[in-house]
């Protein structure tokens, strides 16, 4: 680098010196002329010269003022145009906002005004997308009905698939089936994506027979190109595994292998490992892992999280350490799931110091804890009888923006119940109400168990009565919905 710089510098200096040596002697530019000498005998000569100079200055000043005036006028013109454009843009923005608000008002009502069939496409689609993302399935279906009423509406299979997937996540398979049929009735071709969404909707709810029935229907569909793909089979394999129906899971996997166009992937491996590992069949899980690897399928971070979780729940801490060393060796960064799995494993083992160290490490790496993390901490402290540690978790929650759910509060109820802190356990119900969570059957059953073990039978009886009344109210509500006439 130094030699390059010196060469460049030397060249520049020498060339500049050479250019300077060849420069011709100084010559006055042509546009500069000598000022004429005034006649000293003419009394007006000096005055004329001064006047001429002043006139020249004045003319220059006048021209400068004219230029400034012209610039000011141009600037004022630009400012007026910008102001007009801003007003137009503001009116357009207000108009769009008002139309959106009007659309929202129409959506919230069962029947809109007479012009409800002329709403803007973008406004309706944005409203539909917001509800789908938030899993507000009832409101999403209302918006979709309003969308179908529009004059510009054309059936779109993509929208149907998004709605069916949403209904599957919300465990509404019957509604998903209705939408699937509506899609076909409107002339949309059923493809592997729509069938997979429908199969997933039933499998998520545990209705695996119906899911498999739709898979068979998919195979015999006369339309071309409608065949189960890898995602379809993975959905069923995962569902069978979660339900503990290992025979059907293995047969589905074998059927998948027979399909030339459906080769197993890392998702297939993860679903299989989770099924066997979660049920404590560690050796079977390990054999499957070796077979998938020999087939050329590479593990992902999710694969290692499944292995860690399975080993942790089985108490195989040496194998957990081996997996963590492998991850470190091949640079697999820990995710929030990894931390949650390992924190829970040390908590189950009663190693609170290591659990707390991992929790601090997690936060130092700016990985935000979630309800799963907090549940593991509270559950472990409850088993260890560390009430003050639970209070520390609650203080941490107060200074964070973590959204709590019913599962966390149930863990908190269980922890206080184990410690015999019945007043604090009852206070959890108030915390749930402030957080917008409703106590359920698990909440009351856990409290009943705590009251009974602590000899407070009267409280246990009160909660049993509450559960009984809730069951009757739900049953009566369902009966009234069945008997109630529907007006369209």
């Amino acid at each position: 680098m130094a030699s390059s710089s010196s060469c460049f510098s030397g060249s520049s200096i020498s060339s500049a010196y050479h250019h300077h040596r060849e420069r011709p002697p100084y010559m006055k530019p042509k546009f500069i002329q000598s000022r004429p000498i005034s006649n000293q005998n003419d009394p007006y000569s000096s005055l004329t010269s001064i006047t001429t100079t002043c006139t020249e200055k004045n003319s220059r000043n006048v021209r400068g003022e004219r230029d400034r005036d012209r610039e000011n006028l141009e600037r004022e013109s630009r400012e007026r145009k910008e102001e007009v454009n801003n007003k137009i843009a503001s009116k357009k923005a207000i108009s769009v906002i008002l139309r959106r608000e009007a659309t929202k008002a129409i959506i919230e009502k069962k029947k809109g005004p007479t012009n409800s069939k002329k709403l803007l496409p973008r406004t309706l689609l944005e409203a539909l997308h917001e509800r789908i993302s938030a899993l507000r399935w009832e409101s999403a279906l209302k918006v979709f009905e309003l969308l179908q009423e529009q004059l510009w509406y054309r059936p779109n299979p993509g929208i149907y698939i998004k709605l069916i997937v949403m209904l599957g996540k919300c465990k509404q398979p019957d509604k998903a089936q209705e939408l699937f049929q509506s899609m076909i009735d409107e002339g949309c071709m059923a493809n592997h994506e729509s069938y997979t969404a429908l199969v997933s909707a039933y499998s998520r709810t545990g209705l695996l027979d119906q899911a498999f029935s739709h898979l068979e229907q998919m195979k015999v569909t006369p339309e071309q190109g409608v065949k189960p793909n890898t995602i379809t089979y993975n959905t069923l394999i995962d569902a069978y595994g979660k339900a503990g129906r290992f025979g059907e899971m293995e047969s589905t996997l074998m059927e998948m292998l027979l399909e030339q166009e459906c080769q197993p992937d890392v998702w297939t491996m993860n679903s299989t490992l989770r099924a066997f590992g979660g049920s404590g069949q560690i050796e079977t899980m390990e054999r499957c892992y070796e077979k998938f690897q020999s087939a050329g399928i590479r593990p992902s971070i999710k694969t290692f999280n499944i292995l860690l979780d399975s080993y942790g729940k089985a108490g195989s801490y040496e194998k957990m350490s081996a997996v963590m060393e492998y991850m470190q060796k091949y640079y697999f960064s820990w995710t929030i799931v990894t931390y949650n799995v390992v924190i829970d494993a040390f908590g189950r083992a009663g190693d609170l110091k290591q659990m707390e160290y991992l929790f601090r490490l997690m936060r130092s790496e700016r990985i935000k804890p979630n309800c799963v993390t907090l549940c593991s901490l509270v559950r472990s402290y409850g088993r260890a009888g560390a009430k003050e540690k639970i209070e520390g978790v609650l203080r941490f929650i107060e200074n964070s923006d973590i959204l709590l759910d019913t599962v966390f509060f149930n863990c908190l109820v269980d922890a206080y119940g184990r410690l015999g802190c019945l007043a604090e356990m009852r206070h959890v119900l108030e915390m749930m109400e402030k957080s917008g969570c409703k106590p359920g059957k698990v909440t009351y059953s856990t409290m009943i168990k705590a009251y009974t073990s602590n000899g407070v039978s009267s409280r246990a009886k009160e909660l049993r009565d509450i559960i009984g009344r809730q069951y009757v109210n739900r049953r009566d509500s369902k009966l009234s919905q069945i008997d109630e006439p529907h007006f369209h």
Side-chain angles (χ1 to χ4, degrees), residues 7 9 17-18 21 25 87 107 118 176 223 230 241 248 268 301 309 317 406 462 479:
C7 290
S9 300
Y17 178 75
H18 182 72
R21 295 281 296 178
K87 287 182 179 180
I107 290 170
K118 297 181 181 180
E223 281 83 32
T230 301
E248 290 95 331
T268 318
I301 183 64
D309 188 43
Y317 300 111
T406 305
E462 289 178 4
L479 290 174

Side-chain angles (χ1 to χ4, degrees), residues 333-392:
S333 300
W334 284 25
T335 64
I336 184 173
V337 177
T338 316
Y339 274 105
N340 286 343
V341 166
V342 179
I343 286 172
D344 184 67
F346 282 107
R348 289 173 183 271
D351 192 346
L352 301 186
K353 288 185 178 179
Q354 189 68 21
M355 180 188 73
E356 291 171 345
Y357 167 75
L358 289 167
F359 181 64
R360 291 194 299 271
L361 183 63
M362 176 186 191
R363 293 168 60 193
S364 69
E365 293 187 359
R366 296 186 178 182
I367 297 179
K368 183 180 177 181
N370 57 15
C371 281
V372 177
T373 322
L374 301 178
C375 283
S376 298
L377 296 175
V378 168
R379 191 185 297 113
S380 303
Y381 290 141
R383 291 170 180 166
K387 179 186 174 183
E388 70 282 358
K389 297 285 188 180
I390 297 177
E391 301 297 330

Side-chain angles (χ1 to χ4, degrees), residues 402-413:
I402 301 175
L403 296 176
L404 302 177
D405 56 13
T406 305
V407 177
F408 168 76
F409 288 114
N410 289 343
C411 289
L412 190 58
V413 166

Side-chain angles (χ1 to χ4, degrees), residues 39-53:
N39 187 2
Q40 295 180 354
N41 297 325
D42 188 356
Y44 296 99
S45 61
S46 58
L47 180 62
T48 304
S49 120
I50 295 173
T51 305
T52 304
T53 305

Side-chain angles (χ1 to χ4, degrees), residues 72-99:
N72 290 334
L73 290 173
E74 290 177 354
R75 185 174 65 253
E76 290 176 0
S77 177
R78 286 196 303 270
E79 290 176 353
R80 283 197 297 270
K81 288 181 180 179
E82 289 177 0
E83 185 178 358
V84 172
N85 291 335
N86 289 335
K87 287 182 179 180
I88 294 173
S90 177
K91 288 180 180 179
K92 288 182 178 179
I94 293 173
S95 176
V96 170
I97 293 172
L98 291 175
R99 285 198 297 269

Side-chain angles (χ1 to χ4, degrees), residues 169-444:
K169 292 179 180 179
C170 297
K171 297 187 176 181
Q172 299 291 327
D174 294 336
K175 294 289 184 182
Q177 171 65 44
E178 291 177 8
L179 269 186
F180 183 82
Q181 187 60 47
S182 176
M183 179 186 71
I184 295 174
D185 293 341
E186 286 194 345
C188 296
M189 298 292 290
N191 56 14
H192 65 273
E193 290 183 346
S194 56
Y195 266 109
T196 300
L198 185 60
V199 169
S200 177
Y202 279 101
S203 62
R204 283 176 180 269
T205 320
L207 302 173
L208 300 179
D209 293 334
Q210 289 92 323
F212 197 81
S213 173
H214 285 292
L215 180 65
E216 293 299 321
Q217 181 183 355
M218 182 179 184
K219 294 178 183 177
V220 298
T221 301
E223 281 83 32
Q224 294 181 354
V226 182
K227 294 181 180 180
N229 59 5
T230 301
I231 299 175
T232 314
Y233 280 109
N234 285 345
T235 301
L236 276 177
I237 290 170
D238 187 63
Y240 280 130
K242 289 178 179 178
R245 295 168 63 171
F246 302 111
E248 290 95 331
M249 183 187 74
E250 292 179 1
S251 62
T252 304
L253 180 58
M254 293 301 297
E255 185 178 347
M256 178 184 184
L257 294 173
L258 294 175
E259 294 284 345
Q260 295 181 353
E261 298 179 358
C262 297
Q263 295 300 317
D265 57 9
V266 66
W267 296 96
T268 318
M269 177 172 68
N270 291 341
S271 297
T272 307
L273 297 181
R274 186 190 299 108
F276 289 120
S279 61
Q281 302 181 54
I282 302 299
E283 293 181 359
T284 307
M285 178 191 73
E286 291 173 342
R287 286 197 300 270
C288 289
Y289 178 66
E290 292 175 358
K291 289 182 179 179
F292 278 113
Q293 273 200 315
S294 62
I297 299 176
R298 295 184 177 181
S300 64
I301 183 64
K302 192 171 184 179
T303 311
F304 294 121
N305 290 338
I306 293 169
L307 294 174
L308 288 172
D309 188 43
S310 302
Y311 287 138
K313 290 177 179 177
S316 302
Y317 300 111
E318 292 183 2
K319 291 184 176 180
M320 277 189 69
S321 299
V323 174
M324 286 189 282
E325 288 176 3
Y326 184 91
M327 294 173 67
Q328 184 178 6
K329 181 179 179 180
Y330 291 98
Y331 303 102
F332 282 91
S333 300
W334 284 25
T335 64
I336 184 173
V337 177
T338 316
Y339 274 105
N340 286 343
V341 166
V342 179
I343 286 172
D344 184 67
F346 282 107
R348 289 173 183 271
D351 192 346
L352 301 186
K353 288 185 178 179
Q354 189 68 21
M355 180 188 73
E356 291 171 345
Y357 167 75
L358 289 167
F359 181 64
R360 291 194 299 271
L361 183 63
M362 176 186 191
R363 293 168 60 193
S364 69
E365 293 187 359
R366 296 186 178 182
I367 297 179
K368 183 180 177 181
N370 57 15
C371 281
V372 177
T373 322
L374 301 178
C375 283
S376 298
L377 296 175
V378 168
R379 191 185 297 113
S380 303
Y381 290 141
R383 291 170 180 166
K387 179 186 174 183
E388 70 282 358
K389 297 285 188 180
I390 297 177
E391 301 297 330
V393 174
L394 295 179
R395 286 193 296 272
F396 169 77
I397 293 172
E398 289 179 357
N399 296 322
S400 69
D401 58 348
I402 301 175
L403 296 176
L404 302 177
D405 56 13
T406 305
V407 177
F408 168 76
F409 288 114
N410 289 343
C411 289
L412 190 58
V413 166
D414 181 65
Y416 279 133
R418 288 174 180 270
L419 297 172
C421 302
L422 303 183
E424 288 84 351
M425 181 182 72
R426 190 173 183 84
H427 179 64
V428 175
L429 296 178
E430 299 178 7
M431 296 171 61
M432 293 181 74
E433 185 177 356
K434 291 180 181 178
S435 298
C437 298
K438 293 182 179 180
K441 187 176 180 180
V442 175
T443 314
Y444 291 127

